Amino acid sequence: MFYAYGMSITLRYAESRDEAAEILNDAFMKVFTNIKDFNSDKPFKPWLRRIIINTAINHYHKNKQYREMDSVDIAEESLGKSEKIIPGISYEEIIEMVQQLSPAYRTVFNLYVIEGFKHREIAEMLDIAVGTSKSNLAKAKKNLQAILEKNFT
Amino acid sequence: MTDSNNQDPLEEFFQKKSGDYDISYREEDWKSLEGRLDTLDAQFAARRRRRLAAAAVLAIVSLLSYFIYMNYQEINSLNEQLSRQEQQEPATAPAPDSLAEKTAPDNEAQVPDIADIEELANETDVTGKSESNRISETASRETEGIASANQPEPTPPVIQTSARNLAISELECKDCKLSESASFESPEPITQQAPNTYSAYTSPVTAMAEEQNSQKVSRPGISEKGVSKFSVGFVLGPDMSTAGNLNNFYDPGSKIGLTVDYKINRNWAVSLGAIRSKVNYKAGSREYNAPSAYWYNGIEAAQTRAQCVLIDIPINLSYRFLQGEQSRLYASAGLSSYIMLNEDYRFSYSNEQPEFPQRWNEDTGTTHLMSNANLSVGYEYDLTESVSLRAEPFFRLPIREVGWGNVNLYSMGSLFSINYNLNTY
């Protein structure tokens, strides 16, 4: 039940399915060891989600020194907001596209677009400047648009 | 965490799509993760064992260094005493004859001051006169009047005792059990009844010589009277093994067991041992040759991690090529037979499939006679005549394949042992 839910989160933060499984494994370990801190009056899923996201961010920090922070931009020019998004894209294809982003872009994109964090919160979590967070988000979106245009138009 | 960030169609699109997940459970994800976590654990364990092994080696080396240093200090001290004695030896040479003729003072006779004796001893170098003579003359002069005035009872002469001690020290005979004879012949009543007399008439030279003599006899390892033919040893040490090639060591094992040595002569010895060994190694598909029927569809494991427990029975011939007074260096060569007690193999594949065998574990008990050649060099240090410590780095080369996986097993490591000499001749 929670496997698919957990993997749906970790796959977006990881570069591969192996890494996603590793993050999810670590997250479940944290859940098991900290289950006593869970308030049973509140819903479980948001608590689990927060643990998984924190674990993914920890992995991002741990592997940051081994990764190149800024990947080469895929898109040379930005697409306009009015560009039509093709609806027939599967979830797996979405994940593949997100995984093509560099770790820094991918993490900011996930935290802002999917999880709904503010740039100030993201900057604190990732230990970066707010401006960097905004910049990374813009570049992530630009790259995703380029990927979409290349593969689905 | 809010969901109100998205004003952009792209953002809305991705947010919407991320909720449409349909992810099925895949067993291979967790098998793959298990393998990676095991490897990580093995790396941590190997690192911890390497540190422990290094600490053990450091401790043993420190211990050996301490004993060597103490030995060196002792030798230096003895050499100093010897040189001082040699400087004064001409003065003490005629002592026994002259002393024997002298009349000893009575035990209760008033003895000369120790300061006088020391003064006399100091004058020896200047005058060149025998110290013992001077002492005996002084003693005679001191006691003449007393002896004539009191009873001339010929009690055992104290000076003779001191003279005897001096002669013993001069003999330098290790095999004569001089300390024993000296203590045996010394008339007990004299030393007990008149300790002051004894000490007063024992010159500094004599006392020093006596001390040196007692040190020489009692010092471990110097006496050659107890050369053992057989010795038993308790051995312990790390083992690094690999299969097929020498650049694939990964997880240290251990060795613990007993050895028996037989000394053929001063330089040559043979040894036999029974050493329980935990052997860990990693082998690729080329090095690991399990029965081909075992593999699913003939697809062999890309990598095998082995943890085997075996009895290593080495027979070695060793030659002592550097002999010290209390220590020696030696080289050994021989053959080892392996009895496999337990074999545990874990397999990983380049393309994992659920049908592929993951592990093979069995108490096999197979014997592989003379399967490995042994080469080693060692250092032995005598703690006492009976007990010694050894450090012996070794290298084992495969002669034939061993185990269920038929691997050519290379091993290297170091055996540290404490040895006890069983008997003497």
Side-chain angles (χ1 to χ4, degrees):
Chain A
M1 176 183 172
F2 294 113
Y3 170 80
Y5 178 68
M7 279 297 270
S8 75
I9 300 169
T10 57
L11 275 171
R12 284 188 281 108
Y13 287 88
E15 281 189 346
S16 63
R17 195 174 173 101
D18 281 349
E19 191 183 353
E22 194 177 329
I23 295 169
L24 187 59
N25 182 64
D26 287 356
F28 278 139
M29 287 300 294
K30 285 182 186 173
V31 168
F32 295 143
T33 51
N34 297 294
I35 194 72
K36 61 182 183 300
D37 298 332
F38 171 64
N39 184 353
S40 55
D41 296 335
K42 293 182 178 177
F44 178 72
K45 263 195 171 180
W47 186 69
L48 173 64
R49 184 187 185 89
R50 186 61 203 243
I51 286 179
I52 292 171
I53 290 168
N54 284 346
T55 309
I57 290 170
N58 287 344
H59 268 254
Y60 165 79
H61 283 301
K62 196 166 72 177
N63 298 324
K64 192 164 57 176
Q65 56 184 317
Y66 305 113
R67 288 170 171 161
E68 192 179 353
M69 285 295 291
D70 297 313
S71 66
V72 177
D73 290 352
I74 296 167
E76 290 299 326
E77 41 188 62
S78 173
L79 297 176
K81 280 187 180 181
S82 58
E83 197 80 27
K84 189 180 177 183
I85 304 295
I86 298 158
I89 300 175
S90 68
Y91 176 78
E92 286 73 23
E93 286 166 336
I94 289 289
I95 293 299
E96 278 177 21
M97 280 193 285
V98 172
Q99 286 181 345
Q100 285 184 47
L101 296 174
S102 75
Y105 297 173
R106 183 171 61 235
T107 309
V108 171
F109 180 83
N110 277 318
L111 291 172
Y112 185 87
V113 175
I114 315 294
E115 325 296 355
F117 285 105
K118 303 293 181 193
H119 281 299
R120 184 179 46 77
E121 294 171 311
I122 295 168
E124 281 178 12
M125 282 191 279
L126 301 184
D127 197 22
I128 57 176
V130 173
T132 307
S133 176
K134 289 177 179 173
S135 163
N136 285 356
L137 176 66
K139 288 174 182 172
K141 284 161 64 178
K142 191 171 73 175
N143 287 352
L144 285 171
Q145 282 177 328
I147 295 166
L148 278 168
E149 187 187 39
K150 185 179 173 186
N151 297 306
F152 301 101
T153 57
Chain B
M1 205 163 38
T2 65
D3 292 330
S4 60
N5 284 337
N6 308 320
Q7 307 297 324
D8 188 321
L10 183 80
E11 293 177 7
E12 284 175 14
F13 172 74
F14 272 94
Q15 194 191 28
K16 184 174 175 297
K17 279 287 180 185
S18 69
D20 297 340
Y21 62 86
D22 179 21
I23 302 168
S24 57
Y25 177 74
R26 275 166 49 180
E27 182 66 28
E28 57 265 29
D29 285 346
W30 301 101
K31 280 192 175 174
S32 168
L33 179 64
E34 188 184 6
R36 290 202 306 278
L37 291 175
D38 284 348
T39 308
L40 204 64
D41 280 349
Q43 284 173 353
F44 283 134
R47 200 177 303 158
R48 194 166 54 244
R49 283 176 196 161
R50 272 198 295 272
R51 284 176 185 164
L52 280 174
V57 168
L58 193 65
I60 289 170
V61 168
S62 304
L63 199 64
L64 286 174
S65 304
Y66 171 76
F67 283 120
I68 291 166
Y69 174 75
M70 293 303 290
N71 185 37
Y72 178 76
Q73 291 282 85
E74 199 176 353
I75 290 168
N76 270 356
S77 157
L78 286 172
N79 284 339
E80 278 177 20
Q81 288 177 359
L82 197 62
S83 61
R84 274 156 55 194
Q85 184 195 3
E86 280 170 357
Q87 283 174 359
Q88 297 177 0
E89 201 162 307
T92 57
D97 292 338
S98 59
L99 287 170
E101 294 167 2
K102 300 290 178 185
T103 306
D106 196 338
N107 287 342
E108 293 177 1
Q110 189 174 356
V111 297
D113 228 7
I114 190 72
D116 294 340
I117 301 295
E118 285 174 358
E119 190 181 340
L120 287 168
N122 291 336
E123 286 172 5
T124 304
D125 289 340
V126 180
T127 60
K129 194 172 180 179
S130 160
E131 181 195 43
S132 297
N133 261 337
R134 296 284 299 273
I135 294 167
S136 57
E137 283 171 11
T138 310
S140 301
R141 281 199 300 274
E142 293 277 343
T143 54
E144 259 178 15
I146 301 165
S148 57
N150 299 331
Q151 51 183 3
E153 189 181 336
T155 54
V158 174
I159 290 176
Q160 280 186 357
T161 305
S162 63
R164 190 184 298 123
N165 282 331
L166 183 64
I168 287 165
S169 68
E170 289 169 352
L171 286 174
E172 295 282 347
C173 176
K174 290 176 182 173
D175 296 328
C176 302
K177 299 184 180 180
L178 295 178
S179 63
E180 290 173 25
S181 62
S183 61
F184 176 73
E185 289 172 15
S186 296
E188 212 169 279
I190 291 177
T191 53
Q192 285 178 350
Q193 288 172 5
N196 291 337
T197 310
Y198 181 87
S199 60
Y201 280 89
T202 304
S203 73
V205 173
T206 312
M208 184 179 68
E210 184 183 8
E211 183 191 353
Q212 182 189 353
N213 190 41
S214 66
Q215 278 181 356
K216 279 193 174 181
V217 173
S218 63
R219 193 178 137 195
I222 288 183
S223 170
E224 293 179 359
K225 71 183 174 70
V227 180
S228 301
K229 269 190 169 182
F230 282 100
S231 65
V232 292
F234 171 72
V235 299
L236 189 70
D239 174 282
M240 294 286 287
S241 292
T242 182
N245 58 60
L246 287 173
N247 55 6
N248 202 19
F249 294 102
Y250 98 110
D251 192 12
S254 60
K255 284 183 177 289
I256 183 168
L258 294 171
T259 58
V260 178
D261 283 27
Y262 176 77
K263 292 182 181 64
I264 300 167
N265 57 34
R266 186 175 161 80
N267 289 327
W268 291 94
V270 289
S271 71
L272 176 68
I275 302 168
R276 187 180 188 274
S277 307
K278 283 178 75 174
V279 174
N280 304 326
Y281 64 86
K282 205 162 57 173
S285 58
R286 286 183 184 175
E287 292 90 28
Y288 190 79
N289 305 303
S292 55
Y294 174 73
W295 303 111
Y296 183 82
N297 286 341
I299 300 171
E300 296 181 352
Q303 191 171 74
T304 301
R305 283 178 291 129
Q307 291 183 314
C308 298
V309 179
L310 55 94
I311 300 289
D312 174 7
I313 304 173
I315 301 173
N316 292 322
L317 180 66
S318 61
Y319 176 73
R320 296 175 173 182
F321 57 88
L322 203 62
Q323 296 263 16
E325 206 169 18
Q326 276 188 273
S327 59
R328 58 208 60 87
L329 285 170
Y330 60 92
S332 289
L335 295 169
S336 264
S337 300
Y338 288 166
I339 300 172
M340 310 300 291
L341 298 181
N342 178 269
E343 298 177 59
D344 186 0
Y345 304 111
R346 290 165 193 260
F347 310 113
S348 55
Y349 302 84
S350 48
N351 293 310
E352 292 280 352
Q353 295 292 332
E355 298 83 9
F356 289 169
Q358 297 293 318
R359 186 177 181 184
W360 191 91
N361 185 348
E362 203 168 301
D363 296 335
T364 47
T366 52
T367 303
H368 304 275
L369 288 174
M370 310 300 176
S371 57
N372 282 63
N374 303 330
L375 293 171
S376 65
V377 289
Y379 174 78
E380 182 176 23
Y381 180 81
D382 294 335
L383 290 179
T384 67
E385 281 183 2
S386 301
V387 181
S388 64
L389 294 176
R390 288 182 195 168
E392 186 178 340
F394 67 85
F395 189 53
R396 303 220 158 136
L397 295 161
I399 296 173
R400 61 186 68 176
E401 294 172 338
V402 298
W404 184 73
N406 295 306
V407 295
N408 284 314
L409 194 64
Y410 293 84
S411 297
M412 59 189 293
S414 188
L415 290 175
F416 302 98
S417 62
I418 183 161
N419 296 271
Y420 180 74
N421 293 330
L422 284 176
N423 64 341
T424 59
Y425 62 89

